[in-house]
Amino acid sequence: MQSTALTGGFAKAPQDAARAFRAVMNVMARPGLIETLTGAKPPAPLSDAAGTLALTLLDGSTPVHLAGALDCKDVRDWITFHTGAPFTGREHCAFAFGLWSDLLPLAGYPIGNPEYPDRGATLVVEMPALTASGVTLSGPGIKDAAALNLPDRAAFRANAMQFPLGLDFFFTSENRIAALPRSTKVEAA
Amino acid sequence: MYVAVKGGEKAIDAAHAWLAEERRGDVTVPELSVAQIREQMALAVNRVMAEGSLYDPDLAALAIKQARGDLIEAIFLIRAYRTTLPRFGYSNPVDTEKMACDRRISATFKDAPGGQVLGPTFDYTHRLLDFKLAADGEVPEAPTRETQTGPVPHITDFLNQEGLIQTEPTSDEAPRDLTREPLELPADRALRLQSLTRGDEGFILGMAYSTQRGYARNHAFVGELRIGTCAVEMDIPELGFAVEIGEIELTECETVNQFAGSKTEPPQFTRGYGLVFGQTERKAISMALVDRALRWQEMGEDNLGAAAQDAEFVLYHADNIQATGFLEHIKLPHYVDFQSELELVRKMRADAQAQTMPEAAE
Amino acid sequence: MTQDYNFAYLDEQTKRMIRRAILKGLAVPGYQVPFASREMPMPYGWGTGGVQVSASILTPEDTMKVIDQGADDTTNAVSIRKFFEKTAGVATSEETSKADVIQTRHRIPEQDLREDQILVYQVPIPEPLRFLEPRETETRKMHALEEYGLMHVKLYEDISKNGAISTSYAYPVKVEGRYVMDPSPIPKFDNPKLEMAAVQLFGAGREQRIYALPPYTRVVSLDFEDYPFEPSKADHACDLCGSDTSYLDEVIMDDAGGRMFVCSDTDFCRSRRAAGHVGAQGVPFEEDAA
């Protein structure tokens, strides 16, 4: 195991994780809101925000799928050492991390079932940047309307059409995070 | 003039101080030590360990002392303590065939290899108050005999050799953990057994008794009841083998139940199973009867609508910590909801009155 | 045998499990997410669900407020507040406007909550259909199929029998046109406030369920066109602060039927009196007078 795997965790796990979760919860409760998320220093190419999210939410009971370039030894070792989360394919994952193009197609991920819609997977999409512009969002958590530079439109509309089933998304870039739950309506800009 | 009642915090502190005083009782009477409770109230300790789901006689004894002998309160203390403990891993299944038995009886056979061992049982005591115990009586030493070593095969296995009793399916699949995952129905047998073994002794006893009285009767005999100690082993991945991390006392009961058969299967006896921490045989037998009743679907039996057949009913109501908490919460203030009921009843009465006396209302 | 507890009591693995459940609850508003509730050091039915949710969302910098029946000084509210002071070391306050996290039993504060506040409800029976159908296996199917006819039949039977819907608290709501949800046993007077700027989290410990309402989620109290939902309260003004918009407790004063009405939200009443409002039986406010 590389030494990079052992470093970059939370300095004070209970407090750091609590602060991180507050940011994570805020963005999930307010689709389109962009917050700062720091605390962990993961190895490249995982962003600080995605790494912090991983330490906040992953453990031995959350199968993880790493897509594309994120599926590398450094990232795997780091996640294993700090969280113990098992790695799996997209069809059995609770969380998936990757670039949008690497995560596609969305069809293969668990979307929950009518009795347990909470079993839909959470996808963490690494982005070049996050800006409050682009696609218009409305629905729970949004007073009138919000905007976010989603990497696609049709895919998220299709996902929302399946409500209450579906996938939930975080978007991360460096130390910033935003979210898009399945409940959000995605409209033309 | 009304002044809102303040001082909840002071009242709570005073109540706690009073409780501590009552717990100690008359200070001219010597205080009980945790060791005394552990040694001399062992069956209470066992029940607290079983329903608390934590094998630690010292902590159970401490909980009984702290709870003033209220066992459900003591179980609650243990559960709340247990839930915060870090998990290092899961042990391997205990091998009860290697149990060092203090007690081993069978109702289905007159004798068995290894013999019937009564052990330290109340069974044939005459229930007469022993006033000698009120004075400090010395205990005469109990006779001993040579310890038997080696495996102690289960008595139901003798039936199995003839194919007379149903073979239980074996699986290497890790069972789900009731204390780490929310209960989901239908629950498989491993989950049901977990729920029963930590369920309230009185509740499980009542359910078991109801099956004997005809509510899903399943004609149980105690095939074997054994009490003794078993080694607990855990796989250590770094070592590549399992090491013994301690031993625990267990009570195991296998019942032999009415046979079932079908066009494809010749008639066979069936089983119920109970396994409980400590010397807890009332609980283990009860558990086996309820386990058997809950297996009606798997056995192709009819749903007789009996409570003991209803997994959802049994599993949702067996836990005394859940039950007592919800029962007792009705002591808490509910005056806001009561006020809204009061307003609604007043309004409905006013409306009704207006309807029966339309002239007066106009 | 002493024990040091983790920040906010729960171990990190438990908090992660609850945090994941909260996120799914926010993603599917009104749906009850199963979670592996832990035994807490207070009894089930006394707020263990709310306590577990609060313990999982609190940060060291937060100020917390705990109310029961709208009051900060009810014994169980005092007990829960002390628990978090001790295990999380957070600041506490009785002032609604100063709190980041408010844990409540049976009330929504009168004062509008802000976007940066979180309201945590203690829930005894999270399933709105439970009193119509005791089986979890059945009610789960009903939610899955959006089969809520039974609830409407019950409300309609109320009307035909009593001339009105006879539910006055824990009045069921429909969330974003999809899930029927139990708002916890708040008086129906509070239902309109469920559409708010703050995040609302609901924790049911014994029943092992968490659910959530993101800010501004559409929440509609079930009713019929000819029998519309009516929030109601005692037809009085607060005798201490004079408010005629707040929910009131009726307090019995003597054996002769004497009574007065006072705000159930003690902080709301206190702040009105501090601002100079005086009710019919009130006296001018003095700091620490009560």
Side-chain angles (χ1 to χ4, degrees), chain C residues 101-254:
Chain C
V101 174
I102 301 171
Q103 180 168 327
T104 181
R105 176 168 172 264
H106 294 191
R107 273 313 310 276
I108 297 176
E110 302 292 349
Q111 185 184 324
D112 286 343
L113 299 186
R114 299 184 309 264
E115 288 210 352
D116 60 341
Q117 294 181 302
I118 302 166
L119 185 58
V120 178
Y121 295 78
Q122 302 172 201
V123 183
I125 304 273
E127 179 48 72
L129 306 168
R130 183 62 68 233
F131 299 105
L132 308 171
E133 169 52 64
R135 285 183 188 278
E136 168 65 18
T137 38
E138 292 300 318
T139 53
R140 188 157 283 279
K141 267 185 228 142
M142 290 157 77
H143 284 293
L145 301 171
E146 213 176 338
E147 178 51 69
Y148 296 125
L150 201 56
M151 181 63 94
H152 284 99
V153 169
K154 190 261 168 197
L155 296 177
Y156 204 80
E157 278 175 357
D158 273 7
I159 293 169
S160 58
K161 202 159 68 184
N162 302 314
I165 291 173
S166 63
T167 301
S168 63
Y169 61 92
Y171 191 101
V173 295
K174 198 157 194 184
V175 177
E176 285 286 330
R178 177 58 180 83
Y179 284 101
V180 168
M181 186 191 97
D182 180 323
S184 91
I186 55 173
K188 67 179 181 176
F189 172 82
D190 280 342
N191 273 27
K193 288 187 268 181
L194 289 161
E195 283 186 4
M196 64 162 75
V199 172
Q200 297 173 81
L201 303 174
F202 298 79
R206 191 178 38 78
E207 298 281 338
Q208 309 189 309
R209 297 290 183 271
I210 284 172
Y211 50 106
L213 294 174
Y216 313 113
T217 300
R218 271 189 301 133
V219 181
V220 177
S221 302
L222 299 183
D223 64 358
F224 298 95
E225 242 166 58
D226 43 345
Y227 285 90
F229 170 79
E230 282 178 11
S232 62
K233 64 183 268 294
D235 194 12
H236 292 267
C238 173
D239 283 322
L240 294 180
C241 77
S243 169
D244 55 6
T245 58
S246 73
Y247 190 77
L248 301 173
D249 297 334
E250 182 173 337
V251 184
I252 298 169
M253 301 299 290
D254 52 44

Side-chain angles (χ1 to χ4, degrees), chain A residues 112-140:
Chain A
N113 64 58
E115 297 195 352
Y116 295 96
D118 53 304
R119 292 178 187 174
T122 303
L123 271 54
V124 183
V125 187
E126 292 270 40
M127 304 269 285
L130 289 177
T131 58
S133 63
V135 182
T136 304
L137 312 177
S138 64

Side-chain angles (χ1 to χ4, degrees), chain B residues 273-285:
Chain B
Y273 187 71
L275 183 70
V276 187
F277 280 162
Q279 184 177 342
T280 42
E281 67 183 64
R282 180 186 302 121
K283 172 73 173 285
I285 299 168

Side-chain angles (χ1 to χ4, degrees), chain B residues 253-300:
Chain B
C253 177
E254 270 197 293
T255 54
V256 176
N257 297 73
Q258 71 185 18
F259 53 83
S262 66
K263 285 194 181 101
T264 51
E265 297 265 345
Q268 277 187 317
F269 292 103
T270 58
R271 332 178 197 220
Y273 187 71
L275 183 70
V276 187
F277 280 162
Q279 184 177 342
T280 42
E281 67 183 64
R282 180 186 302 121
K283 172 73 173 285
I285 299 168
S286 301
M287 177 176 166
L289 263 61
V290 179
D291 168 49
R292 178 61 186 81
L294 290 174
R295 302 180 73 187
W296 63 273
Q297 266 171 315
E298 167 198 346
M299 305 287 182

Side-chain angles (χ1 to χ4, degrees), chain C residues 28-49:
Chain C
V28 190
Y31 164 74
Q32 303 163 50
V33 185
F35 83 110
S37 176
R38 304 292 194 243
E39 281 95 353
M40 298 301 286
M42 62 272 291
Y44 283 123
W46 298 52
T48 57

